[in-house]
Amino acid sequence: TTTGLILFFQSGRPLGAGVRLGMGLRMNRTKGDEEEYWNSSKFKAFTFDDEDDELSQLKESKRAVNSLRDFVDDDDDDDLERVSWSGEPVGSISWSIKETAGNSSSSHEGREQLKSRNSFSSYAQLPKPTSTYSLSSFFRGRTRPGSFQSLSDALSDTPAKSYAPELGRPKGEYRDYSNDWSPSDTVRRLRKGKVCSLERFRSLQDKLQLLEEAVSMHDGNVITAVLIFLKRTLSKEILFRELEVRQVALRHLIHFLKEIGDQKLLLDLFRFLDRTEELALSHYREHLNIQDPDKRKEFLKTCIGLPFSAEDSAHIQDHYTLLERQIIIEANDRHLESAGQTEIFRKHPRKASILNMPLVTTLFYSCFYHYTEAEGTFSSPVNLKKTFKIPDKQYVLTALAARAKLRAWNDVDALFTTKNWLGYTKKRAPIGFHRVVEILHKNNAPVQILQEYVNLVEDVDTKLNLATKFKCHDVVIDTCRDLKDRQQLLAYRSKVDKGSAEEEKIDALLSSSQIRWKN
C-alpha cells in the first residue's frame, strides 16, 4: 500500500510480513485512526538523530571493552574464554598471525566497508577499530592449568620463527648492552645513568683515557665510578703513580677512601705522596674505632710522636692527658657511688660515664661532683682549669651552670666575689651579669637572688628589660625613681598585683613631693 511503501523508503529497512498484514487490515481505517496507530507503534520513522544514537552506543561499547582490564585480576573468571574480534582465542598462534597481518590492512578495509554500508542494522558489520593497542593488551597471561596463555608464552613455543613482534624494549635500546663504546661515549652514558660495562677497557692506556674523559666531564659521580674501576683493576703502585699527576682525580680518590673508611689504603697513599701531616691525621682518626678506654689511651700515646703541626701536637697531648684523667676519675667515682657513703652521689646519682667526654663536659662534671676538692687532685675543677688552660669566661660559665643546678647559691655568690689589694670585695662577672641573670632564672633561682644580680647590670635599659621580664618589681620601681620617670612608673603600676606591697610603694613615690619628676 501507499503507507507501507512510504514507511519502507523512509526507514530504509524491509517491512516484515506481520507489519504488511497489519497495514492491509487497517487500510479502511480513517486518517485519524491511522495517525493514532502509527504514533503509538513501537516502530518509528527515520531521523538523522539515529546515527548519533548508534555512535553513542558504539562509544558505550568501547568503554565497556576498556573496563575489562578492571576484571582481569579476578580469580572468578578463570573459566571464561578470551577471544578476539574475529572469534579466535586470544594468545593462540593463529590469532598472533592475524593480529600482526591485520594491523596493515585494517584501516583500508574499514574505509571501504564504511563507504559500502547502507544501514546500521547490526554492530557486527562495523569495521574493527584501528588502534595501537589490541584487545590482548587488556589481559595478562595465567600460569595455572586451564587458563589461557599470554602472548609472550605463545611466542616462546615457536622456536623456528616468531610470528608477532616483541612487545618489550624498543630495538634502538638494544645497543645499550653493546660493548662497542668509545671512552667518551662510555663517560657520557655513565653521566646519563645508563648501564655500561667498563670491563672492555683492558689496557692501561684505555683506562687512563677513560679517566681523563671522566675528569673533563666535571662530574664527580662519574669520576668516582671510574676510580673504583681503576682501584679494582690496577695495582696500588701504578694507581698512585698515575694519580699523582692528576690532582683532580687524586682528590676524589682521597675523599672516597675517607668516606668508606679504607684507612689502610689511605695511609699507603699518603705515604707514597709523602704527605706526612695528612698521614699523621689519618692515623690519629683510627682512635675512633677503639672502644676500650685503656687501649684507646695507649693508641693516643703512640700518636704523640707523629709529625703533626705544633697546634695539632698540643691537641693530641691534651687528648691523651684528658682521657688518662677521665679513667682515674671514673674508677674512683664508681667506687664511691657503689659504696653509698658520699652525699652528692646519693642525692644525684650519675646518669652516664665520664669516659671519652669532651673537656667542657668533664669540667661541668667536676664542678658538679668535686667542686670543693683541693687543687692537687685530678678531679678538682681548678686543677682542670690550670692543666688545660681553660679561659676564665668558659670556667665561670660552666661552674655557674653546675652550681646553680644544685641550687648552691653561696657558691654562686663566691664565684663572682673578688678582693682588691686593699681587701675590699667587689662582684665581677667576666661573662656579664645579664648572662648570669638568665642562667639563674633558667635554674629557678629565688626572686631575691635574681634582684641582686639584676641590680649589678650596668646598662639601664638592659636592667629594666630584665627586671620587667623576670618580675623583679623592686628593681623596676627603684630604677624609675632614679630616672624620675613618672609616666613609666604609672604604666608599671598596672602590672603589679592589687593591694600588694609593690603597689603601695609606687603610690607612695607618686604622691611624694620630694621627687621632681621629669614628665
Side-chain angles (χ1 to χ4, degrees):
T1 64
T2 304
T3 307
L5 291 175
I6 292 173
L7 180 59
F8 174 79
F9 286 109
Q10 284 182 347
S11 64
R13 297 185 180 90
L15 298 178
V19 177
R20 290 196 297 271
L21 180 59
M23 293 189 330
L25 294 175
R26 294 174 176 82
M27 287 178 60
N28 297 325
R29 295 189 179 186
T30 62
K31 185 177 180 180
D33 295 337
E34 288 183 356
E35 290 182 356
E36 180 181 0
Y37 170 77
W38 289 112
N39 288 333
S40 63
S41 174
K42 64 180 180 179
F43 300 100
K44 62 180 180 178
F46 171 79
T47 61
F48 287 99
D49 296 331
D50 289 348
E51 184 176 1
D52 296 336
D53 293 339
E54 294 191 4
L55 287 177
S56 63
Q57 293 177 6
L58 286 176
K59 293 179 181 179
E60 290 292 334
S61 177
K62 183 178 179 180
R63 283 194 292 269
V65 172
N66 290 335
S67 65
L68 290 175
R69 68 179 67 186
D70 298 332
F71 302 94
V72 296
D73 291 332
D74 294 340
D75 296 334
D76 298 337
D77 61 347
D78 291 344
D79 54 349
L80 298 178
E81 183 180 4
R82 275 68 173 180
V83 296
S84 65
W85 293 107
S86 61
E88 294 290 339
V90 174
S92 64
I93 297 179
S94 60
W95 172 83
S96 301
I97 298 173
K98 292 180 180 180
E99 185 77 4
T100 306
N103 289 335
S104 60
S105 61
S106 60
S107 168
H108 177 71
E109 292 175 0
R111 287 195 298 269
E112 292 297 326
Q113 291 180 13
L114 285 174
K115 290 180 181 179
S116 62
R117 186 189 59 167
N118 58 1
S119 68
F120 289 90
S121 59
S122 78
Y123 300 130
Q125 297 176 2
L126 292 174
K128 189 166 59 176
T130 302
S131 174
T132 56
Y133 296 97
S134 65
L135 187 60
S136 62
S137 63
F138 298 144
F139 302 99
R140 300 196 190 112
R142 296 288 195 271
T143 58
R144 293 193 298 271
S147 61
F148 63 91
Q149 286 183 312
S150 64
L151 178 60
S152 59
D153 295 336
L155 295 178
S156 63
D157 295 334
T158 58
K161 184 177 181 179
S162 177
Y163 293 97
E166 184 177 351
L167 301 180
R169 187 185 301 273
K171 293 182 179 179
E173 296 187 10
Y174 284 124
R175 298 182 67 239
D176 292 351
Y177 301 100
S178 174
N179 292 329
D180 300 332
W181 298 105
S182 63
S184 59
D185 293 336
T186 302
V187 169
R188 281 195 292 270
R189 291 175 59 77
L190 288 174
R191 188 178 185 182
K192 293 179 181 178
K194 294 187 176 181
V195 177
C196 189
S197 176
L198 305 180
E199 300 298 333
R200 64 176 299 270
F201 300 100
R202 298 181 180 276
S203 66
L204 178 60
Q205 181 179 0
D206 291 342
K207 293 177 181 179
L208 295 178
Q209 185 179 358
L210 182 66
L211 178 61
E212 291 173 357
E213 290 289 343
V215 172
S216 64
M217 196 67 66
H218 304 290
D219 192 313
N221 293 332
V222 177
I223 296 174
T224 304
V226 175
L227 286 173
I228 293 174
F229 170 68
L230 298 183
K231 172 178 170 290
R232 183 169 53 85
T233 58
L234 294 178
S235 63
K236 290 190 299 183
E237 292 75 12
I238 297 176
L239 179 63
F240 295 164
R241 184 191 66 201
E242 297 298 337
L243 291 181
E244 188 177 9
V245 296
R246 296 172 174 84
Q247 292 298 314
V248 176
L250 178 62
R251 288 195 296 270
H252 277 79
L253 180 62
I254 293 174
H255 179 75
F256 172 71
L257 294 177
K258 288 180 179 179
E259 288 294 323
I260 65 175
D262 193 347
Q263 293 294 327
K264 185 177 183 302
L265 186 60
L266 189 61
L267 291 174
D268 293 340
L269 177 59
F270 286 145
R271 196 174 292 111
F272 177 86
L273 299 173
D274 198 23
R275 297 185 180 181
T276 56
E277 186 173 348
E278 293 185 42
L279 176 65
L281 289 174
S282 180
H283 180 73
Y284 166 72
R285 195 177 291 113
E286 290 186 9
H287 83 274
L288 298 174
N289 300 324
I290 304 175
Q291 301 299 327
D292 184 78
D294 293 321
K295 292 182 179 179
R296 178 179 286 195
K297 184 188 73 171
E298 296 301 324
F299 179 82
L300 291 175
K301 188 175 182 180
T302 62
C303 296
I304 295 177
L306 294 178
F308 292 101
S309 62
E311 184 179 1
D312 290 339
S313 297
H315 289 318
I316 300 298
Q317 181 65 52
D318 288 343
H319 191 178
Y320 170 76
T321 305
L322 178 62
L323 182 58
E324 185 180 31
R325 293 202 175 194
Q326 287 176 346
I327 294 174
I328 297 174
I329 295 173
E330 177 66 22
N332 184 49
D333 288 356
R334 188 186 296 114
H335 174 71
L336 293 176
E337 187 177 22
S338 60
Q341 299 178 357
T342 307
E343 182 180 2
I344 185 66
F345 288 111
R346 289 199 309 268
K347 291 183 177 180
H348 304 280
R350 299 189 312 156
K351 297 182 179 180
S353 172
I354 195 62
L355 295 175
N356 299 319
M357 292 296 177
L359 177 59
V360 176
T361 306
T362 307
L363 178 62
F364 181 90
Y365 179 90
S366 297
C367 292
F368 194 91
Y369 289 105
H370 305 281
Y371 188 73
T372 58
E373 290 187 5
E375 183 179 344
T377 60
F378 284 149
S379 55
S380 170
V382 179
N383 190 307
L384 289 174
K385 177 186 176 184
K386 290 185 177 180
T387 302
F388 297 100
K389 299 182 175 64
I390 299 176
D392 288 341
K393 289 184 178 181
Q394 184 66 65
Y395 177 80
V396 170
L397 189 65
T398 307
L400 172 63
R403 303 317 294 173
K405 191 174 185 65
L406 288 172
R407 305 180 67 83
W409 309 122
N410 293 331
D411 294 338
V412 171
D413 185 72
L415 189 62
F416 301 106
T417 302
T418 59
K419 289 184 179 181
N420 57 12
W421 60 282
L422 294 176
Y424 294 104
T425 60
K426 183 180 180 181
K427 291 187 179 296
R428 186 179 66 88
I431 59 175
F433 283 106
H434 63 284
R435 295 193 65 183
V436 175
V437 172
E438 292 176 353
I439 295 174
L440 291 176
H441 179 265
K442 184 178 179 181
N443 288 276
N444 301 319
V447 177
Q448 295 78 10
I449 301 295
L450 287 177
Q451 289 186 155
E452 179 182 354
Y453 288 96
V454 169
N455 273 322
L456 295 175
V457 178
E458 295 181 358
D459 185 74
V460 177
D461 293 334
T462 304
K463 181 192 295 185
L464 278 174
N465 291 334
L466 290 173
T468 304
K469 180 179 178 181
F470 301 132
K471 297 182 179 181
C472 299
H473 302 306
D474 291 339
V475 177
V476 177
I477 295 172
D478 294 343
T479 304
C480 291
R481 181 199 60 193
D482 296 340
L483 294 175
K484 296 181 175 59
D485 192 342
R486 180 184 178 86
Q487 297 300 325
Q488 189 170 1
L489 189 60
L490 280 172
Y492 191 76
R493 184 178 182 276
S494 61
K495 298 181 181 180
V496 300
D497 297 334
K498 298 292 183 179
S500 61
E502 290 81 8
E503 187 182 37
E504 295 178 358
K505 185 177 181 180
I506 293 174
D507 292 339
L509 290 175
L510 292 175
S511 60
S512 176
S513 59
Q514 299 179 358
I515 303 175
R516 303 185 62 177
W517 303 100
K518 67 178 182 179
N519 52 19

